[in-house]
Each structure stands twice: as C-alpha cells, then as structure tokens.
Amino acid sequence: MEPALGDKVAFFQELKAFQTEDGNEDTWTTKDSHRNAAKTFMKAAAGATTNSMSSDLARPVNQVVAATKPFLVSTPKRTASDPVQTTKNSEISRIIKSTPPNSHLVPHLRETASEVIDLSTITDTPIPDSTKASSKQQPQRRVSDRLLRRRATGSPSVQETPSFKMPKRKKDVPIKMVPEADRCFAGLVFFFFPNSDANSVRKKRIDKAREYGATWTRSLKDATHIIVDKGLTYADLKPLLEGDVDPAKKIVVNADFPIDCWTHRTLVSHDQEKYQVPGKTASQQSNAHPAVASQSSDQSLVLKERRSKRSRTSSQITTRSGNLASQAAAQSTEHAVIPSTQPVAASLRSRANSSSSTTSEEGNPVDNVRKDQEGFRSRMPPPDMDSEKSSFEDELSQCIGHIMEFGNDVVIPGEEEDQSPQPEDTEESKRPEDIDDDDEPHRSEDERPAKKTRTSRTGASAAKGSEGWQSSFACMQGGLKGVESENPNAETINFLLEMADEYEKKGDERFRRDAFRKAAGALKQQSVKILTFAEAIAIDNIGKSSAEKIEEFARTGRVKKLQNLQNDPMVKLQGLFTKIYGVGPSLADRWIRQGYRTLDDIREKAHLTANQQIGLDHYDELNTRIPRKEVEALGAHVVRAARAIDRDVQLIIGGSYRRGADSSGDIDIIITRQGMSSTGQLIDFLDELVLKLTNEGFLTVALAAHRKSHVDDTDGNKWQGCCVLPKDEYPGDDGSEVDDANTSDNDGSHERPNNKSNKDGWRPIWRRIDLLLVPASQLGAALIYFTGNDIFNRSIRLLAQKKGMRLNQRGLYRDVLRGKGNVKIAEGELIEGEYERKIFRHLGVHWREPHERWC
DNA sequence: AGACAGTCTAA
DNA sequence: TTAGAC
DNA sequence: GTCT
Ligand SMILES: O=c1ccn([C@H]2C[C@H](O)[C@@H](COP(=O)(O)OP(=O)(O)OP(=O)(O)O)O2)c(=O)[nH]1
Ligand SMILES: [Mg+2]
C-alpha cells in the first residue's frame, strides 16, 4: 500500500452504536487527504452502470480480457466468452523470445531475470526517477550496475565477519559478528555480574553482546559497563565495587540493557529507569556516564520510549498565525514531494446503492454461476436480516460507505452487463443453508458514560450533485484539491489523517497511526463542526490527546505536533526509506540511526536483502501507480498465458482494481479453477504459469514464492514478484494515452515489445504483481481478502472475531477458541468460504460491492 | 494491562 | 523470532 | 492513541 493508504479512514469502531440503517446515507465524505488517488470509478471506458460495473469488476478474467481486448484492439462489444483472445496470442508469443527455459523458476527466477535485464538495460533510463527528489542525489548509477551489484551481493551475507578483537579469554567459539554497522557495542567493555558464563542464559547474552561488538572482560576494572543479572541488586554487587575500582565510572545496568541495545541495534540510553539495578545509593547515583556515546546516534530511542507524556493542555496554543488550515494543507503537499509520482486521478462515478445495496446481489460471477448450478442464492433478505444485524452493518457501512453514492451516468457500452444482473434473487430468503449464526443484535452498548454525543449522521446530504460526491470521492481519491467537502469537519479530518500519515512513517507506530484514523473516522460522522476539547472528547475514539489537538487546530489552524512531525527530517527520511520495497519502520530507523540519509547512502553502505535490493533498484518504478488500463493490459497478458496452459482457469483481478480504482499500486490476480480443491494441482499450474511468463519476459523477478510445503497443504498459494508490460501491449489505441509516461522518448522504433532489451531507449516499468491461487471452495473468502481494502478487511475480521468467528482468506469459521491474547487455539469449524455474499451474511453485514469497500 | 486481523515468507 | 508484506 |  504505501502512501496511498492515507485515505483510509478510520473505521473500526465496530460494535457500537448502530443507528438505524443507513438507509439514507449521506455520504458526504470527506475528502481525505491527498494520497489516494483515484478511485473513481471507471472512467469512461470501463463504465457500465454500476451494477454492471460491479459485475464487471468481478468478472472472471477471461471476461476481463474480453473487455480489455477491445481496448487493445478496438471497440468492444461482446461479452465474452473466452476464446477470443487466443488469436492475438500467437503474435505475442512469437515476440516473446527466447529466454532459455529455466526449469523451475522459483529458485532461479531471480537469477534469470537479472541476467536478462542486465543484458538489456544498459543505459540509464529515463523513467521517473525521483530519486533526486528525495535527498541529495548523487550520481545515479546505471541500472545495469545496480543489477550486477545485486547479483554480486546476491549471496547473503558472506563477506563480512570481521574478526574483531576477541576479548581476553574466550576464544573458542568463533563468534559470528554482526555487520559492522550494527555493532552497537563497539569499543565497549562489559563486565557481567555474576562473573561467569556458566549460566547458559548469561552465556548467550555474553556471546550476543560480543557479536554486537562488545568486549567481555572478567576483570571489573577494564569494564565500561557492568551488566547485572535481573533480580540482583547493588547490595549483591557491593563486594566487587569495593576494590580499587571506582564505581562511579562504571555504568551499571541490568540485563535488559544489552538486550534492548541489540534489538534496536543501537546503544540505548543506559540511564532509563528500566535498566536500573535496584538498591542504588545516593552516592552512586551521580554517575557521569562517560564512555557511552561512542557512536553516532544515541538519541532517538530514549526519546521514543519515553514519549508519552501528554502535557499539553489547551493552554499552550497561542500561536496564531492567521491562516488556518490552509497551512496544514500546504505542508502536506510539501511532504508529498519526495518521490512523487502520483498518478492521475480522474473522475468517477458511482452509483448509489447504499442501503438498497442488497440489490445487486451478484457480485461475483462465479458465485452466480454456482448459484445457478447449485441453486443457491445468496441475496440478502432485506428485511429479515437487517434488523438485527444492522448494527454491525452499520458499522461497516460507516467505515466504508458513504462513499459512493451517486451513480450516474455512464454506462458503458458493451460488455459487461451481461452477466451479472440476474434477476434472480427474489427468493432465497431461506437461508441458504443453515447457517445460522445467530446474530443477535448485539446492540447494546453504547453507552459510554457521560460522553457520547453521537450525532451521527451527517446531515449532509451533500452530495447530490456531482460535487458532493466528488468530495466524497476525495476521500478515496486523494487529491486534496477540492476541499469542498460538505463535511463541516473536513479540514479537521484531514488534519487527523495527516497525523496518521506521519505516524505511518515512524517506526512501529502503527497503532497510534490507526488510532488517528479511527479518530478521523469518528469525526467524519459528526454533522456539526467540532471546535472544542469538550465536544471532541465526547466522541468515541477521540480521547484526550486527539481532543486537544482538535481544539488546537480549530483555534489556530495548525497543530504543533503535526508540524513538528512534518518538519522532522528523520520522519521524512523514514518515509523515503520505507518506500523501498522490503524496508519497514524498523530497518528505516536503524539506517537513520546509522547515519544514512539518502538512497545513495543506502546503495553504497547498507546491506540489503535480495528483495530490498530490487526495491531500491526499482524505487521509482515500484512507487509509480499503474493506470487502470495498464492493469487491464497486464491482466490480459496473464490471462492469455494462463489459458494457454489450462483453458479452464479463471482469473480475477482483485485489489484496488476490483474496487474500481483508476490507478493501482500493483496488480493482484486471483487464479482459480472449477473443480480444484487440491492445492497440488494449483501449485503445479502456478509453477508452470510463472515459468512461462518468465520466459516470455513478462515476469522479471520473484519476490516471494509459495513454499511448496507438504503436499496437500492449504497454503502455499501466493506468488509475489514483478512484471513488465510489453511495449506493444500498452493500452492506448483507443485514444487513451499511451505510454509516453514511461517512454520518454521512444524514437520511433517501437517494436519489440518486450521488456528487456532494447536499445531504443524503451524501458518498461517494473510493476508489482501478486498471484493468489484459490481452490474453488475458498473463492468467496479469497475475494473478500484480495479485494480489500486492507482497512475493510481488518474491520470485517475484527467483527467476525467479536462474534466468535474468524475470517481469513480461506473462509469464515465459527466456534473459534482463543486463548490469552486472543491467540487462536482452535481453528473453529468452517462455516463458509465459497461465496462472498454468504460470508457477509453470516456476519450480518450488508452486501457491499467491491467499490464500496474503500475505508 | 491487553488488544488493536490473520497469514505467510525471508532471513 | 522478527520484519515486512498482502 | 483509545477502549476495555
Ligand atoms: O495489510 C493488508 C494489505 C492488504 N490486504 C489485502 C487487501 C488488499 O486489497 C489486497 C491487496 O493488497 P494491496 O497491497 O495490493 O492493496 P490494494 O488494495 O490492491 O491497493 P493498491 O492499489 O495499493 O495495490 O490484500 C490485507 O488484507 N491486509
Ligand atoms: Mg493491489
């Protein structure tokens, strides 16, 4: 997800209030921050009515292809059956080329790909390359170099292992030193209190400390630090300190100190309360801890851990600058600077379905198909369930909903329609199957003592016309351009989302990040502008801290804390580094602590895993969003290959594409096949497909492949890697643009589609691609999972959990036993996995079309 | 003080 | 086990 | 950060 996430608003308030149906929705939507682009719905082409659209999105790939194809070729029309595309295939295949067939690619894929690439890309490429944008830019290396380098480095750590001085005694066991940059204890001499390594736990600790650069001494006087086992006190230490040593010069800490240091790969502040050894006397207190500071960093951790204290009372606001909110907005823009690449946005359209959403009913074709076969039906009985489950539904709805509403327009020609709408529903009221789940209205609660005002619903009717909805879209779309949102708290909501964005970059601050999103979501439900602490804190999911910030924002138009975060160079760096595929908050933090400040620093100094190297080599490409049409083209390519292998497989493009996004961060494809339940077959198919696509040059690298564990296992069904769209498969004939986005030059010679080589300057953009193999019986659950968005998934899974169930990518289970920490003890019994609708129904959630799942 | 989704792979 | 990703 |  990356930056885009911003939009996700909070949600998660699952249980709790339920207001009646949302029947009317409102929708207003706030716009959220920029980030997210698009989601608009189908822009032109894809269109079709909403209904159709949904079906469209859901439609099995082959259909997609058909649809897509027209683009490639010309105008659409037709519904698709499947065969069609084969023709075109040949053409492509011939283009393909000769990459030697490697046997199983999984293992070798990477190599192969590199090879290929190396040969081909020799020149620097144009492409976005925002590297520069980021920080200092240095000479940028050529792609080929990078690749080569990667290869070279390819083998995992090896090199290093400097011997380093081993402490006085102790020699035998060769200690494997960590990379030099991580040697947080370099230069320090540790004396462990029970002065012996007899105890295995302690010995481990000692060895580990040495691996991180410490020298172990058994003679107190050489020590810079005295590491005391937990449970011991100064009194125990006393005898030792008596001699000639000057206790005042030694740093005395408990065993947690070294552990935290190596965990963070940095020397943390030893004077924190948690490292103190009990029994310290006044005289001992005043140590000036000398030695310490050795390396560059130090700071951070301490601060981080101690942070909490919320002192700020509303009083401190003062500053008033006059311009309010706009400022915040400006800043955000600013931070967007880094790699940029935000794609296009577009307009969208949507449809209202809202409460009546039950309508469409058929969301996924497959389901429909099966229904027919089996005679199932899934619709939601409008009335019956509603009443009860509504509370939950509402919640989900709140999260998501509101987004789309208006529908309108555009219908697209051709295709699509066909399959979906089936008038069938009608009956079915019978619960298909037993199910039952109970559902009781949990209603409840709500209460929240004193506070709670809950005004909910926006009154905004906002929408109505396009603009309203536009704004609503903003929420998902990103851009902050419009502003208009009718929501009186729009700016405040944006502010909270910006806070979340900042925390997203910071080292493990995900819960704080989510808390801000939830707060934003809560504010979104308010119909009146919230201006004071009192008003704010009365709202669920907005506590003291957020309430203070809200008031500060209302009064001054800005919030110090946010500005501090936005201006914090370290936070900016975190954003820069974590955008490298494979790099998260932990590593970004460590790098920053080690003094790295630019991507070039990372290229030169950091030691990277294979995936991180790829992420860095293709930093800009992988951070460039994919226009919807290209997603379709990529999908079409995969479909062609898949069907060449097995004509009966079905592919469905999921992820943000299925939700109607007009640009996606990557392409997510679900691959299934009617009678397939055994993973074995699927896996063989997958390997074959991957091999084929790799040989064609479409797939460029494997980032993570299923672990073909024991036969039969249920997992091992996901393949992640990178791909490239052959030049001649770029959409655009029908008017829509074309490649130039990446081509930059393309001097007339277009041709060889292929990715790699080409000396004509054409260079394909690497894209992330995820393939998910799904047995037919798990398709519904897999669709929910792969369609997302992530927030929607977490929300609905949390809801399931609260109802004693468990929802994962394979199905919905009941009677799940959980132990401490909600850790699953028993898997529970499978309730449903095949149909999305049934799963929703069991959870008491109204059906939501994919495009309604943006939260 | 614990939860905040649930699962999988790489290292 | 931890980090990162979906 | 917020709720339980
Ligand atoms: O933490 C996560 C991330 C993703 N997903 C699911 C939902 C998501 O829709 C799908 C695909 O993930 P991806 O990262 O591709 O997100 P997306 O929704 O497709 O957005 P993008 O446009 O960034 O690809 O996997 C989760 O369940 N949890
Ligand atoms: Mg995606």
Side-chain angles (χ1 to χ4, degrees), chain A residues 1-2 4 625 654-657 659 663-666 668 770 785-790 793-794 797:
Chain A
M1 296 245 118
E2 60 151 352
R625 295 187 65 83
S656 50
Y657 175 86
R659 297 197 307 273
S663 76
S664 300
D666 66 1
D668 306 291
D770 295 333
Y785 163 62
F786 233 34
T787 298
N789 66 9
D790 55 345
N793 289 354
R794 289 159 61 186
R797 287 175 180 204

Side-chain angles (χ1 to χ4, degrees), chain A residues 37 102 158 175 332 346 357 364 381 384 389-390 445 458 483 487 502 545 578 590 629 743 755 759 773 841 851:
Chain A
N102 4 357
V158 172
I175 283 189
S332 64
S357 59
N364 85 46
D384 65 17
K389 312 182 160 199
S390 59
E445 60 181 325
T458 291
V483 190
N487 192 306
E502 295 307 315
S545 179
T578 55
R590 206 186 316 145
K629 288 204 168 171
T743 292
N755 39 333
K759 348 292 319 330
L773 288 173
R841 189 158 353 143
H851 66 267

Side-chain angles (χ1 to χ4, degrees), chain A residues 749-784:
Chain A
S749 59
H750 26 315
E751 37 234 47
R752 284 357 98 141
N754 253 339
N755 39 333
K756 33 179 136 263
S757 33
N758 59 152
K759 348 292 319 330
D760 55 355
W762 154 261
R763 210 255 208 133
I765 300 180
W766 280 36
R767 305 295 199 181
R768 281 277 301 103
I769 181 170
D770 295 333
L771 304 179
L772 184 68
L773 288 173
V774 181
S777 62
Q778 301 174 358
L779 184 60
L783 279 168
I784 289 173

Side-chain angles (χ1 to χ4, degrees), chain A residues 356-396:
Chain A
S356 45
S357 59
T358 35
T359 62
S360 39
E361 194 37 11
E362 305 324 303
N364 85 46
V366 178
D367 281 5
N368 292 335
V369 174
R370 294 217 188 119
K371 275 184 209 156
D372 292 344
Q373 301 178 325
E374 308 176 2
F376 279 103
R377 251 152 210 91
S378 45
R379 167 254 214 159
M380 294 232 0
D384 65 17
M385 297 199 102
D386 269 19
S387 45
E388 317 230 268
K389 312 182 160 199
S390 59
S391 64
F392 288 100
E393 296 195 13
D394 286 348
E395 321 253 349
L396 275 180

Side-chain angles (χ1 to χ4, degrees), chain A residues 730-747:
Chain A
Y730 267 78
D733 294 298
D734 53 312
S736 53
E737 53 9 20
V738 183
D739 38 338
D740 59 356
N742 39 300
T743 292
S744 86
D745 50 299
N746 91 27
D747 30 70

